[in-house]
Amino acid sequence: MSSKQQCVKLNDGNFIPALGFGTYKPEEVTENKPLEATHLALEAGFRHIDTAYVYQTENHVGQAIRSKIAAGLVKREDIFLTTKLWCTFHRPELVRSNLEKSLKNLQLDYADLYIIHYPMQMKPGEDLFPEDEHGKTLFDTVDICATWEAMEKCKDAGLTKSIGVSNFNYRQLEMILNKPGLKYKPVCNQVECHLYLNQRKLLNYCKSKDIVLVAYCALGSQRPKRWVDPSSPVLLNDPVLCDIAKKHKRSPAQIALRYHLQRGIVVLAQSYKENEIKENIQVFEFELPSEDMKILDSLDRNLRYAPAPFGEGHPEYPFSDEF
């Protein structure tokens, strides 16, 4: 892994770089942007790349990684690649096929981390967001523990080195952790986490179970029109955050990322701008004093930028619980 970065040990013995690069593409962003951005991220020193089947960016991410391997900039083992099982593939017999589709898109032999994207099942088929004639999401009924067993088989088959979850609340994590015959614990729980939603309770719970919390939307999200309320506050414009950034002669994004790293969270940074990508990787060059950490803690307002409205009618919609 890049010497610029720190790594966190997972409960299966593998290591994940503490800073990752997110590749979600809002609809309003042009088609080839993820390819350009992943190239820039790898050149800047990012070695942890996060994608997902549903993002439809895997082919671009894979292309960027393979070109950097071919150019001798990195080896495959230097890269930590995460992708995710989508909600329409939760039936145990479909889990491996979704990972195989992702690997085919990426043109890679294995993922470093494969995670269940949401604890909600949707009707299998070609549609990523299946709906009835009234625009209501078509759900499916699958035991999450059966899905997890299929994830374990993917790890045993060598298609992924580690397995984890995303957007699970503590009760849903308990369902897996208490499953009879559990072979592998989830190594991580990737959730929305930022200064306005600092996930204190879920973080403490995950730490107690040796599960790493991975933060997405750490910079306040890309604000895609489809998912994010345009009236929600812009995190990086927060005056308290900006004051602390000025004091340390750093960008607000660097402060927001550093805050999570010091809490023991693995954090994903996303940007399509070269200067921001280069800036974001410099978060290992400074430390925030405890008084600044306390001030940043106080910004929490339980605000969720990405509430996954497509899943709101699902019995396992994860964001109804307290944490």
Side-chain angles (χ1 to χ4, degrees):
M1 295 294 176
S2 165
S3 57
K4 282 185 187 176
Q5 296 195 37
Q6 295 163 0
C7 288
V8 174
K9 191 174 184 180
L10 299 170
N11 63 39
D12 63 357
N14 292 319
F15 287 85
I16 184 170
L19 180 68
F21 184 74
T23 62
Y24 170 73
K25 186 188 90 66
E27 286 165 354
E28 47 272 32
V29 167
T30 55
E31 191 60 32
N32 62 342
K33 274 289 183 190
L35 176 63
E36 290 169 21
T38 308
H39 271 297
L40 291 169
L42 291 166
E43 285 161 12
F46 278 92
R47 295 296 176 260
H48 170 184
I49 309 291
D50 181 275
T51 186
Y53 183 77
V54 77
Y55 297 170
Q56 299 180 289
T57 59
E58 289 173 323
N59 55 343
H60 286 139
V61 168
Q63 202 181 323
I65 290 170
R66 291 190 319 277
S67 77
K68 291 296 179 248
I69 292 171
L73 178 74
V74 292
K75 297 186 182 80
R76 170 63 185 95
E77 58 269 27
D78 296 332
I79 304 287
F80 189 98
L81 187 280
T82 301
T83 192
K84 308 177 187 83
L85 174 77
W86 184 237
C87 304
T88 53
F89 292 87
H90 275 221
R91 291 184 186 180
E93 66 273 18
L94 298 178
V95 171
R96 179 169 175 157
S97 71
N98 193 204
L99 176 51
E100 285 171 341
K101 282 180 181 185
S102 287
L103 292 175
K104 191 179 175 189
N105 291 339
L106 291 155
Q107 289 183 41
L108 297 173
D109 297 331
Y110 66 92
D112 294 275
L113 175 60
Y114 194 48
I115 58 184
I116 300 177
H117 206 145
Y118 285 94
M120 303 178 287
Q121 305 80 26
M122 300 194 309
K123 187 188 170 191
E126 291 304 304
D127 287 346
L128 293 172
F129 295 93
E131 292 178 345
D132 67 13
E133 64 274 22
H134 307 294
K136 285 256 193 319
T137 304
L138 292 168
F139 296 127
D140 197 19
T141 312
V142 187
D143 176 2
I144 200 74
C145 291
T147 305
W148 186 253
E149 284 171 11
M151 295 283 286
E152 291 178 326
K153 286 176 182 159
C154 290
K155 177 174 162 72
D156 284 338
L159 296 173
T160 183
K161 292 195 168 183
S162 299
I163 50 174
V165 298
S166 179
N167 297 301
F168 275 50
N169 60 40
Y170 87 96
R171 181 182 53 78
Q172 291 159 337
L173 283 167
E174 290 272 282
M175 284 158 70
I176 290 179
L177 293 172
N178 296 330
K179 184 185 90 64
L182 180 70
K183 191 168 185 183
Y184 305 116
K185 278 168 62 165
V187 296
C188 71
N189 186 18
Q190 185 183 126
V191 295
E192 179 174 345
C193 184
H194 44 76
L195 290 165
Y196 291 161
L197 182 73
N198 73 23
Q199 297 280 18
R200 188 181 296 108
K201 287 183 177 173
L202 187 59
L203 174 61
N204 290 338
Y205 171 81
C206 286
K207 281 183 174 175
S208 77
K209 302 294 181 185
D210 196 18
I211 293 170
V212 170
L213 200 77
V214 180
Y216 71 79
C217 288
L219 302 177
S221 98
Q222 292 277 318
R223 303 178 74 85
K225 292 186 180 79
R226 185 176 177 183
W227 305 120
V228 175
D229 177 357
S231 68
S232 58
V234 177
L235 181 79
L236 295 181
N237 292 346
D238 185 275
V240 175
L241 173 62
C242 291
D243 280 350
I244 290 176
K246 204 176 284 177
K247 181 174 106 177
H248 291 281
K249 297 186 172 62
R250 296 283 170 178
S251 71
Q254 287 174 324
I255 302 296
L257 295 171
R258 184 70 214 178
Y259 167 75
H260 291 306
L261 291 170
Q262 287 182 213
R263 298 170 76 213
I265 291 172
V266 169
V267 63
L268 302 175
Q270 182 165 12
S271 174
Y272 287 112
K273 295 177 182 166
E274 185 173 4
N275 63 316
E276 291 177 353
I277 291 169
K278 286 178 174 172
E279 217 172 54
N280 289 344
I281 206 161
Q282 293 164 8
V283 289
F284 300 103
E285 296 172 6
F286 69 100
E287 201 162 317
L288 293 169
S290 57
E291 59 269 25
D292 287 345
M293 289 294 289
K294 281 191 186 119
I295 293 166
L296 293 169
D297 272 338
S298 71
L299 295 178
D300 185 47
R301 50 170 95 175
N302 203 29
L303 180 135
R304 197 177 286 281
Y305 286 106
F310 61 87
E312 277 173 353
H314 195 282
E316 284 299 333
Y317 179 70
F319 311 137
S320 314
D321 291 39
E322 188 196 353
F323 69 94

